[in-house]
Amino acid sequence: EAEVAQSPRYKITEKSQAVAFWCDPISGHATLYWYRQILGQGPELLVQFQDESVVDDSQLPKDRFSAERLKGVDSTLKIQPAELGDSAMYLCASSLRAGTSVSYEQYFGPGTRLTVT
Amino acid sequence: GESVGLHLPTLSVQEGDNSIINCAYSNSASDYFIWYKQESGKGPQFIIDIRSNMDKRQGQRVTVLLNKTVKHLSLQIAATQPGDSAVYFCAENIGGGSNYKLTFGKGTLLTVNP
């Protein structure tokens, strides 16, 4: 069964350092999402891509976070500089294509657990 | 602002019993709802979904009920098993088009006692 891949699974970094997460969506999925999940809470959307274009980054802290999906396939989320409050699980999800009748289901990857010290 | 929330943060049941997890939503424009299961250290896993033009949908051992009158969603799990122990999230989609996104509730921790 096809899965969303994420790496690394765990990352420990010191505050003020740069950190990057990678996501490879399910093949053929045009829509890709990055979420942040704080322990005990539901995932919160950071950014949504349709192919290589950003369609929603309203909740992305753009002073320190950036995301790209240059070829419309895999994606990278970067934090620079990392702050203590960034400690969380970062989840990537993909779906066929948002806006079509069969597109709504999002498939999640295993996530990257970030700890900022 | 409008949000999705859960009535019960924790639920403990005996193995073999039926479980009911509830969710309240406040946005009448929501047209699609999903239940996800999340085990410790893993990403959310799709369980079942329902569109706003339906009031009930059944899957394998799970049933989702949608009451649009009171903006309430529930997940019923039949013959609950230890492997069902996890956090369950409901999520709603507001609107459509290419900019649709899911808003997640806070989650309910289900514990199944053997």
Side-chain angles (χ1 to χ4, degrees):
Chain A
E1 182 175 307
E3 297 180 339
V4 176
Q6 288 189 249
S7 67
R9 292 295 310 278
Y10 304 91
K11 180 69 178 179
I12 300 174
T13 191
E14 295 182 345
K15 63 180 181 179
S16 81
Q17 296 298 304
V19 64
F21 314 128
W22 177 79
C23 172
D24 191 13
I26 293 173
S27 178
H29 281 195
T31 310
L32 184 147
Y33 311 82
W34 282 103
Y35 289 87
R36 177 170 56 189
Q37 185 178 27
I38 296 171
L39 191 64
Q41 299 184 16
E44 295 181 315
L45 181 70
L46 291 174
V47 61
Q48 176 186 346
F49 289 91
Q50 187 86 324
D51 300 307
E52 67 278 5
S53 300
V54 173
V55 296
D56 187 349
D57 62 357
S58 57
Q59 300 303 310
L60 188 71
K62 298 180 188 63
D63 57 334
R64 298 184 300 108
F65 286 64
S66 64
E68 61 183 15
R69 194 185 183 198
L70 295 177
K71 297 183 179 180
V73 181
D74 58 339
S75 176
T76 302
L77 178 69
K78 298 179 181 178
I79 307 174
Q80 182 174 16
E83 296 181 352
L84 295 176
D86 296 332
S87 293
M89 174 81 87
Y90 289 84
L91 293 162
C92 179
S94 69
S95 64
L96 279 169
R97 183 173 294 275
T100 66
S101 61
V102 294
S103 69
Y104 285 174
E105 182 177 343
Q106 294 183 24
Y107 297 82
F108 282 82
T112 297
R113 171 70 67 188
L114 173 66
T115 301
V116 182
T117 62
Chain B
E2 297 183 329
S3 63
V4 174
L6 295 174
H7 293 305
L8 296 173
T10 61
L11 178 64
S12 183
V13 301
Q14 291 297 123
E15 182 177 359
D17 287 351
N18 296 332
S19 303
I20 300 177
I21 301 172
N22 296 301
C23 177
Y25 67 95
S26 57
N27 194 323
S28 58
S30 297
D31 63 353
Y32 179 72
F33 304 87
I34 304 180
W35 281 100
Y36 281 94
K37 171 187 179 183
Q38 187 173 25
E39 298 174 275
S40 181
K42 298 183 178 180
Q45 178 185 2
F46 173 88
I47 301 174
I48 192 168
D49 59 359
I50 188 168
R51 297 188 184 278
S52 59
N53 61 353
M54 304 170 66
D55 54 18
K56 180 179 181 179
R57 191 166 188 218
Q58 290 185 293
Q60 186 177 13
R61 284 202 305 118
V62 295
T63 301
V64 56
L65 299 177
L66 176 62
N67 186 330
K68 295 181 287 293
T69 301
V70 295
K71 298 187 180 67
H72 184 266
L73 192 68
S74 69
L75 176 69
Q76 301 179 359
I77 304 174
T80 313
Q81 303 168 0
D84 295 327
S85 295
V87 177
Y88 290 80
F89 293 96
C90 65
E92 62 177 331
N93 170 57
I94 302 172
S98 63
N99 199 31
Y100 109 97
K101 61 184 179 182
L102 292 177
T103 300
F104 284 79
K106 295 180 180 178
T108 293
L109 174 61
L110 175 65
T111 301
V112 182
N113 303 308

